[in-house]
Amino acid sequence: MKPFFVFIGIAFFIMACGGSDTPPTGGNSNSGKSMVSKGEKIFKTNCITCHGIDGRLKLNGAKELPLSTLTVDERIAVITNGRKLMTPFKGILTEKQIKAVAEYTMKFSDDK
Ligand code: HEC
């Protein structure tokens, strides 16, 4: 009788460990996914007034972001220093936030 219970115990232990509801390892707060959602939040707060929710509004002469061919680094420069009617976001957003929102705008051209 005794070995049988030991076996049940081990089986249960293995099942508990293999469960899919265990959180994935290495999921710290700076994973790619959370960067995107952070960028989305920043975009919706700071950018939709001119660019619109999907980046296509073109208010105040804003460029249609899905058609932009700029790289992430060039976008970071535009967002940081501004251009024509676009507000410079240096001092409004941190460097990290600007990077996150620049990466978010790259997504528009992906799902054209
Ligand atoms: C006050 C209106 C305004 C706001 C707010 C604004 N933009 Fe712009 N944005 C513009 C205008 C106008 C241009 C075009 C500048 C030009 O013609 O050189 C532009 C251009 C850009 C470009 C370059 C596109 C290209 O291909 O040249 C990017 C990237 C961009 N904006 C991102 C953002 C992001 C991200 C935010 C929010 C953090 C933002 N913008 C907020 C008006 C705005």
Side-chain angles (χ1 to χ4, degrees):
M1 216 44 189
K2 233 179 175 182
F4 180 69
F5 279 115
V6 171
F7 173 74
I8 294 285
I10 291 169
F12 188 75
F13 180 70
I14 290 168
M15 264 157 47
C17 286
S20 56
D21 54 355
T22 44
T25 48
N28 70 36
S29 58
N30 252 349
S31 67
K33 219 173 170 184
S34 74
M35 283 296 277
V36 167
S37 57
K38 203 166 82 184
E40 185 172 347
K41 216 171 137 195
I42 297 163
F43 189 85
K44 284 175 179 164
T45 316
N46 299 283
C47 320
I48 55 170
T49 35
C50 295
H51 290 288
I53 196 87
D54 60 355
R56 293 183 189 273
L57 189 62
K58 298 194 284 184
L59 220 68
N60 291 320
K63 291 257 169 81
E64 214 172 323
L65 293 182
L67 302 181
S68 174
T69 52
L70 297 186
T71 65
V72 179
D73 285 340
E74 288 166 335
R75 288 172 195 218
I76 289 172
V78 172
I79 298 161
T80 306
N81 303 312
R83 226 166 66 190
K84 296 189 185 170
L85 284 178
M86 180 160 162
T87 330
F89 282 89
K90 187 169 52 185
I92 299 173
L93 298 173
T94 67
E95 241 175 82
K96 253 184 158 170
Q97 288 174 315
I98 289 173
K99 187 166 178 282
V101 77
E103 277 165 3
Y104 176 70
T105 64
M106 297 302 283
K107 209 174 73 86
F108 291 131
S109 10
D110 284 349
D111 43 44
K112 223 183 304 185

